[in-house]
Amino acid sequence: MTNNAVPETESLDIKACWEQLRSVSVGRLAVWDGDHPDIFPINYKVDHGTLVFRTGEGTKLHSVLGAAPVAVEADGVDAGSGVAWSVVLKGKAESIKLTQDVLDTVGLLLFPWQAGRKDHFIRIVPTSMTGRRFKVTEPLTWWSPLDDATRAGLE
């Protein structure tokens, strides 16, 4: 492989996907809201093969507990090595209501970033998970004359 070759994308197994999800605490939650998709940032914790997050009353809560499945995407990059990763988890969300389950979830130290009441604990039980890891390509590797034309049009 030469330095200009595009590196192969590595598919992550389930164990590696969970390791990556544990390495960050923020992702994007995709839901179906009535007649359209919507997406929300969430901070989460991994808990026994599931993702848990807190939320308050509103669109996110009502959409996530609807009949449609949800998806969570999280990613990251190691600036030193230039290796990036992305994991997508799809599944069904459920409200955590049993007292012992809520107490166990509080023990995860899951603190919302935004002020306000976040009394609802939600668990996403995955039905599928995919992930990939890849080396971030240097910009000059994928540069094309079209990039200069676009930039010139904006100046």
Side-chain angles (χ1 to χ4, degrees), residues 1-7 141:
M1 179 188 291
T2 67
N3 288 343
N4 292 336
V6 176
T141 304

Side-chain angles (χ1 to χ4, degrees), residues 56-135:
E57 284 292 329
T59 302
K60 182 187 336 174
L61 176 65
H62 296 288
S63 296
V64 80
L65 294 178
V70 300
V72 174
E73 189 269 343
D75 49 39
V77 64
D78 179 327
S81 68
V83 174
W85 62 270
S86 180
V87 172
V88 175
L89 176 148
K90 297 175 186 172
K92 183 70 179 142
E94 55 191 42
S95 182
I96 300 172
K97 293 188 182 241
L98 296 176
T99 303
Q100 187 58 50
D101 291 341
V102 170
L103 291 174
D104 291 345
T105 303
V106 170
L108 293 173
L109 302 177
L110 182 59
F111 300 109
W113 285 6
Q114 187 178 29
R117 292 187 63 143
K118 309 289 184 183
D119 298 339
H120 300 275
F121 290 82
I122 305 297
R123 180 180 310 280
I124 300 175
V125 179
T127 55
S128 71
M129 188 178 334
T130 58
R132 61 192 188 118
R133 185 176 9 237
F134 54 92
K135 181 103 171 123

